[in-house]
Amino acid sequence: MKKRILTVLLCACLLLIGIPRAEAAVKTLGDANCDGSVTVTDASLILRYTVKLAKISSQGLENADVNWDGSVNAADASAILRYAVKLANLPKSIDSTLLGYVQRGTESNTSDWTSYAKAITQAIQALPTTDPYRAVLYKAAEYMGTEYASGTFDCSIFVRKAFHESGNSAKYPGGSTDSVIKTFLSKYPQRIHSVTAQSGTSAWEPDTTQWKPGYVLAYINPSTGKGSHVSIYIGNINGKDFVMEAAYNAGGAYIRKLWWSTTDTGIYKLTYYMTPLE
């Protein structure tokens, strides 16, 4: 029923022909016409803009991009309309401090995900404040861009810092990657789970549907059976799964697209995902 109502209202928006008023640069999320309020008229203006029937000021375009994906389109109009008819809330204003950390870590010598920085930031910020992993992700973000140093700042130390410095030292053990994985397997088996394959794909790909932002991903060396790497899962953003990790071949702590094995050395195979705070 709600979907039907929303469709009807969207059609009604397309029929609106009133000229938006106000030229002032009012900075309010959702306020495409900069008149100081967020209403159905803003959704209508965006829809008309997408089909080149109207223009929007530079401040209006910034206001209109309510999902922070870098473009103004029907998805933004739909979100504003849902807000106007009290079916949903608009996203929170983006955290500039967090965005700065994320931007610092979205480019490395192996990947460049700069275009995803706002969306990644928004995904982290959108987590409920009651979610204990939210604090872990915020703390992990602070280390983005930190240079890799074996024994001083490596994958295991990075993940440990994120959990311990966010107030979860009792839930995440210290030690090497291998010892951490073995501790979970022996003492907290309910918090470590085998990664399964995604169905319907020609090549093996991990099924991430059960993962939540903040979970720890664990890699095993197939030859030795020892833990070889850990990272922190951020989530699926715009169709891509992202992690925060400190990696030698990346030069430090960065945000990277999820990977599950290597073809060069063969010592990294994504085997487990861990849920330390559950």
Side-chain angles (χ1 to χ4, degrees):
M1 179 60 73
K2 287 184 177 179
K3 185 176 181 180
R4 184 177 298 175
I5 292 172
L6 183 60
T7 302
V8 172
L9 288 170
L10 275 170
C11 293
C13 284
L14 286 170
L15 298 176
L16 290 176
I17 59 173
I19 304 299
R21 61 186 178 86
E23 297 293 332
V26 179
K27 189 172 184 178
T28 302
L29 190 65
D31 185 12
N33 62 8
C34 296
D35 68 352
S37 60
V38 180
T39 66
V40 171
T41 303
D42 295 296
S44 172
L45 175 59
I46 293 171
L47 290 173
R48 297 177 69 221
Y49 167 81
T50 60
V51 294
K52 297 180 170 46
L53 290 178
K55 294 183 179 181
I56 302 179
S57 68
S58 58
Q59 182 61 60
L61 288 172
E62 183 179 335
N63 294 346
D65 185 15
V66 295
N67 61 6
W68 305 97
D69 67 355
S71 63
V72 175
N73 49 45
D76 298 299
S78 176
I80 291 171
L81 181 59
R82 288 172 62 82
Y83 169 78
V85 297
K86 303 186 186 320
L87 288 179
N89 294 321
L90 287 176
K92 296 178 181 179
S93 298
I94 203 160
D95 185 326
S96 60
T97 301
L98 179 61
L99 176 61
Y101 293 142
V102 170
Q103 286 177 322
R104 193 170 66 188
T106 50
E107 185 173 353
S108 72
N109 63 357
T110 58
S111 314
D112 184 356
W113 304 108
T114 305
S115 61
Y116 284 80
K118 281 189 175 181
I120 291 170
T121 302
Q122 189 67 32
I124 295 173
Q125 186 187 16
L127 293 173
T129 55
T130 53
D131 185 337
Y133 289 105
R134 187 177 190 267
V136 173
L137 290 168
Y138 264 75
K139 182 56 64 173
E142 291 183 21
Y143 285 97
M144 291 298 93
T146 302
E147 186 176 351
Y148 187 94
S150 182
T152 304
F153 188 80
D154 54 27
C155 65
S156 183
I157 293 172
F158 162 65
V159 175
R160 183 166 69 248
K161 282 180 175 291
F163 277 86
H164 287 202
E165 294 177 11
S166 61
N168 296 289
S169 58
K171 296 292 185 69
Y172 195 86
S176 66
T177 295
D178 185 55
S179 66
V180 167
I181 296 172
K182 286 179 177 176
T183 297
F184 274 98
L185 287 170
S186 61
K187 294 185 177 181
Y188 313 110
Q190 74 279 15
R191 295 177 185 167
I192 185 166
H193 315 272
S194 296
V195 173
T196 57
Q198 187 180 135
S199 61
T201 56
S202 56
W204 193 95
E205 293 185 18
D207 180 1
T208 66
T209 56
Q210 301 300 313
W211 301 1
K212 295 180 181 180
Y215 282 3
V216 177
L217 307 184
Y219 295 73
I220 298 294
N221 181 331
S223 299
T224 64
K226 292 184 177 182
S228 54
H229 184 67
V230 284
S231 63
I232 300 176
Y233 182 63
I234 301 176
N236 186 284
I237 293 96
N238 294 346
K240 295 184 185 297
D241 289 292
F242 286 96
V243 296
M244 291 184 191
E245 64 182 2
Y248 173 78
N249 64 354
Y254 289 97
I255 288 171
R256 306 171 76 187
K257 183 184 175 184
L258 171 68
W259 55 278
W260 42 91
S261 65
T262 57
T263 56
D264 49 359
T265 61
I267 65 172
Y268 302 106
K269 181 181 179 181
L270 180 55
T271 306
Y272 302 108
Y273 68 94
M274 300 185 288
T275 60
L277 306 184
E278 297 176 7

